[in-house]
Amino acid sequence: MPQITDAIAQPAYDRTAARGTQFTPVLRAIGAFFASTAKRVSLPVKFDAQGVIDFTSTPDTKAGDDPAAWVPAASSFVTYTRAEMRGHMNNLLATCRTHAASSAFTSKVPDRSSYTYADLVAILSHDYTVSKGDNKGQVRNLVAHTGASARSAIKRVIKAGVVELAVVEGTAWMAEGVVDSDGNPRPYPSEQKARKAHARMAHKDSGADGEWYTDADRKAALLKNAVVAKFDPAGMASAVSIYSMPSIQVRQLAKKAGAPTDVTTGKGATKRCVAWFEADLARLDLANA
């Protein structure tokens, strides 16, 4: 286990596993630390202001590290006092309750602003069994599982804010064929992210290992040739605007309006899409629906 005395005994971490599984041994070690008389604990992890936990380093595969059985270097360990760790756990539990308070969590973790050491020993002793998905049946530490869910929720909020700001500032990009559930072009905060989105959508499951990015040279070529353009927040098609819109937006709007594939794909598709709209201007209403 991680250091709870003067000796460091390092477990192997599976960094290829789901995040809740990766941090299960960490949270169990913290529980053991609080249950012991040790004054400090050293772990290869760090905490942000919300208590969200992360490793201080990553496996170096070029140096021979095995991500599935990774033993972090002793230099990556951070030493925490009991009071410091209690503060981080209080922050983590508050974050879990705010962003990922499942019934499994709320039934076992009392709603408090601060927890005693005895409280934390009890809370960190609880496990959680995954009930669905690829990891169904997997047993994890309850706080590790809930903390991973909370982190994902926080990241989604941050990502949405970054994208929204890019749209407002006029710096967002879009990728041909990548649309939201309503059929509208999906905005991305940078050209590179839009290029990745196009490559991911257009060449899914086409690489040597079933992924578009598995070969470095091929990945670079796909990103270079990705069809992207600056995002138009208005995005409304009219008898005038279709002549000045980016080509990919004209094609996306034609697809949304129901144009057949022989119109929207292939060489000269943009001109065919414009002609398709010209043939029946009522199609513009379908594109803007």
Side-chain angles (χ1 to χ4, degrees):
M1 293 301 294
Q3 178 186 358
I4 57 175
T5 64
D6 291 335
I8 298 179
Q10 303 178 65
Y13 296 92
D14 183 359
R15 297 297 302 276
T16 67
R19 192 174 181 86
T21 298
Q22 290 186 40
F23 288 96
T24 285
V26 175
L27 271 298
R28 286 175 177 167
I30 294 172
F33 166 57
F34 285 139
S36 74
T37 58
K39 295 181 179 180
R40 62 190 183 279
V41 64
S42 292
L43 295 163
V45 298
K46 57 187 176 182
F47 301 87
D48 68 12
Q50 294 176 292
V52 175
I53 191 171
D54 206 351
F55 286 105
T56 57
S57 61
T58 57
D60 184 353
T61 55
K62 292 182 179 179
D65 287 351
D66 180 0
W70 176 60
V71 177
S75 60
S76 68
F77 280 59
V78 179
T79 299
Y80 299 94
T81 65
R82 296 178 73 84
E84 288 171 339
M85 186 58 76
R86 179 183 174 222
H88 290 311
M89 289 299 99
N90 280 332
N91 290 338
L92 174 58
L93 293 174
T95 296
C96 287
R97 186 169 296 279
T98 300
H99 296 281
S102 66
S103 59
F105 179 84
T106 56
S107 66
K108 298 219 170 81
V109 180
D111 186 2
R112 299 173 187 166
S113 60
S114 182
Y115 299 87
T116 66
Y117 292 117
D119 290 335
L120 293 171
V121 170
I123 291 168
L124 294 173
S125 70
H126 296 302
D127 283 336
Y128 172 83
T129 302
V130 180
S131 59
K132 58 185 178 180
D134 294 340
N135 297 313
K136 183 177 180 179
Q138 191 176 88
V139 178
R140 304 170 179 168
N141 176 271
L142 174 64
V143 177
H145 172 79
T146 312
S149 298
R151 176 179 178 272
S152 296
I154 292 169
K155 289 187 71 175
R156 286 194 295 271
V157 171
I158 293 173
K159 180 179 179 180
V162 170
V163 173
E164 182 179 358
L165 180 62
V167 171
V168 171
E169 293 183 342
T171 59
W173 287 74
M174 59 185 181
E176 182 177 35
V178 183
V179 297
D180 61 20
S181 58
D182 295 321
N184 298 311
R186 187 182 298 277
Y188 291 90
S190 68
E191 179 182 357
Q192 183 67 6
K193 288 187 180 299
R195 288 185 178 278
K196 286 183 178 180
H198 181 269
R200 185 166 53 245
M201 180 279 304
H203 305 284
K204 184 179 181 181
D205 298 333
S206 59
D209 296 324
E211 297 289 355
W212 67 272
Y213 53 79
T214 49
D215 178 85
D217 291 337
R218 183 172 180 276
K219 175 182 177 181
L222 292 178
L223 291 175
K224 180 180 179 180
N225 296 325
V227 184
V228 299
K230 292 299 289 291
F231 179 76
D232 178 7
M236 300 294 285
S238 70
V240 175
S241 67
I242 57 172
Y243 297 103
S244 58
M245 280 182 175
S247 295
I248 67 169
Q249 191 167 4
V250 174
R251 295 195 292 272
Q252 286 180 338
L253 288 169
K255 290 178 183 178
K256 182 180 178 183
T261 56
D262 60 353
V263 171
T264 60
T265 58
K267 186 176 181 179
T270 301
K271 290 183 178 179
R272 289 195 298 276
C273 288
V274 171
W276 185 79
F277 279 122
E278 289 175 335
D280 185 356
L281 293 181
R283 292 166 175 166
L284 295 171
D285 294 331
L286 297 176
N288 294 324

